[in-house]
Amino acid sequence: GAVVSQHPSRVICKSGTSVKIECRSLDFQATTMFWYRQFPKQSLMLMATSNEGSKATYEQGVEKDKFLINHASLTLSTLTVTSAHPEDSSFYICSTYRGGRTDTQYFGPGTRLTVL
Amino acid sequence: AQKVTQAQTEISVVEKEDVTLDCVYETRDTTYYLFWYKQPPSGELVFLIRRNSFDEQNEISGRYSWNFQKSTSSFNFTITASQVVDSAVYFCALSEAGGHQFYFGTGTSLTVIP
């Protein structure tokens, strides 16, 4: 069964509005989650690493004031795209990290954001 | 520097043909993990395999097989007797021990023609 869920799966919004995407770890407590962005026909680009109870770590070139990440619990991380613009339209994917023997990332089904 | 290279951007094969997707990686770590994921048109990444750097045994799972060669830093993926449902984008990824970050290749888009 699914290990990671994302909600919503698809969202269309007007330019200037904010959109919140939720990422939930279903099977285990995830102290670390990751947020990726994928443009059409391109690879996944890591945006930020979300750590439970602390500030997220953003990759170079990613605006932390535009992409707000909150990891308030061990099973939930949220990504808020603030004042969205058409160029923010993309496929956003979250993942959770499970260490130990598995040492693997489990990916959510993704959220397709379209900003009109 | 690109840590994972998938030189094949797009591949088309006729159904029932075998196809190999190449993956070359770069790392200075002695402990690392290699992955293959399938991304169908729906977008969800489907985990296919995880291999650690100490296990060079080749693996077969049904029509899928993987060839891990540390000497050439390659982790190639072969689909035998391809089917239309295999059409997808396939990503190779590297994870270095001690870090959670995945380094994805640029992906290979496979189209299987009926």
Side-chain angles (χ1 to χ4, degrees), chain A residues 32 34 36 38 41-44 46 49 59 91 93 97 100-110 112, chain B residues 10 33 35 37 39 41-45 47 50 89 91 95-102 104-107:
Chain A
T32 303
F34 301 90
Y36 294 84
Q38 185 182 30
K41 297 192 176 183
Q42 293 190 24
S43 188
L44 282 75
L46 179 65
T49 302
E59 296 299 301
F91 192 57
I93 306 172
Y97 170 75
R101 290 180 58 189
T102 55
D103 202 1
T104 299
Q105 284 193 27
Y106 298 91
F107 291 87
R112 194 164 300 281
Chain B
E10 295 182 359
Y33 302 93
F35 301 81
Y37 288 88
Q39 188 178 43
S42 64
E44 183 167 1
L45 283 170
F47 169 82
R50 167 181 174 267
V89 179
F91 289 98
S95 173
E96 293 166 332
H100 307 156
Q101 186 171 351
F102 268 36
F104 281 91
T106 49

Side-chain angles (χ1 to χ4, degrees), chain B:
Chain B
Q2 186 81 13
K3 286 187 175 279
V4 179
T5 301
Q6 293 180 255
Q8 304 150 308
T9 306
E10 295 182 359
I11 300 177
S12 291
V13 297
V14 177
E15 199 170 21
K16 296 184 183 178
E17 286 184 346
D18 299 346
V19 59
T20 296
L21 309 182
D22 299 333
C23 174
V24 175
Y25 63 92
E26 177 186 332
T27 180
R28 293 184 178 180
D29 283 13
T30 54
T31 301
Y32 52 90
Y33 302 93
L34 296 164
F35 301 81
W36 274 96
Y37 288 88
K38 174 182 179 180
Q39 188 178 43
S42 64
E44 183 167 1
L45 283 170
V46 177
F47 169 82
L48 296 178
I49 190 170
R50 167 181 174 267
R51 175 54 48 89
N52 75 56
S53 54
F54 296 108
D55 182 3
E56 286 195 71
Q57 269 194 322
N58 291 328
E59 183 157 338
I60 298 174
S61 176
R63 296 184 297 107
Y64 296 168
S65 63
W66 291 269
N67 185 310
F68 177 28
Q69 303 235 345
K70 288 179 79 170
S71 60
T72 55
S73 296
S74 65
F75 187 43
N76 296 337
F77 173 32
T78 297
I79 302 175
T80 304
S82 60
Q83 299 176 2
V84 174
V85 292
D86 296 328
S87 297
V89 179
Y90 290 85
F91 289 98
C92 179
L94 165 74
S95 173
E96 293 166 332
H100 307 156
Q101 186 171 351
F102 268 36
Y103 300 95
F104 281 91
T106 49
T108 297
S109 177
L110 173 66
T111 301
V112 180
I113 304 166

Side-chain angles (χ1 to χ4, degrees), chain A residues 34-74:
Chain A
F34 301 90
W35 286 97
Y36 294 84
R37 179 166 58 181
Q38 185 182 30
F39 291 109
K41 297 192 176 183
Q42 293 190 24
S43 188
L44 282 75
M45 184 192 80
L46 179 65
M47 298 176 65
T49 302
S50 170
N51 301 296
E52 188 268 336
S54 63
K55 290 183 179 180
T57 303
Y58 291 82
E59 296 299 301
Q60 193 172 10
V62 178
E63 300 175 59
K64 59 182 180 182
D65 294 331
K66 180 165 186 64
F67 298 100
L68 300 178
I69 291 173
N70 184 289
H71 193 158
S73 79
L74 289 171

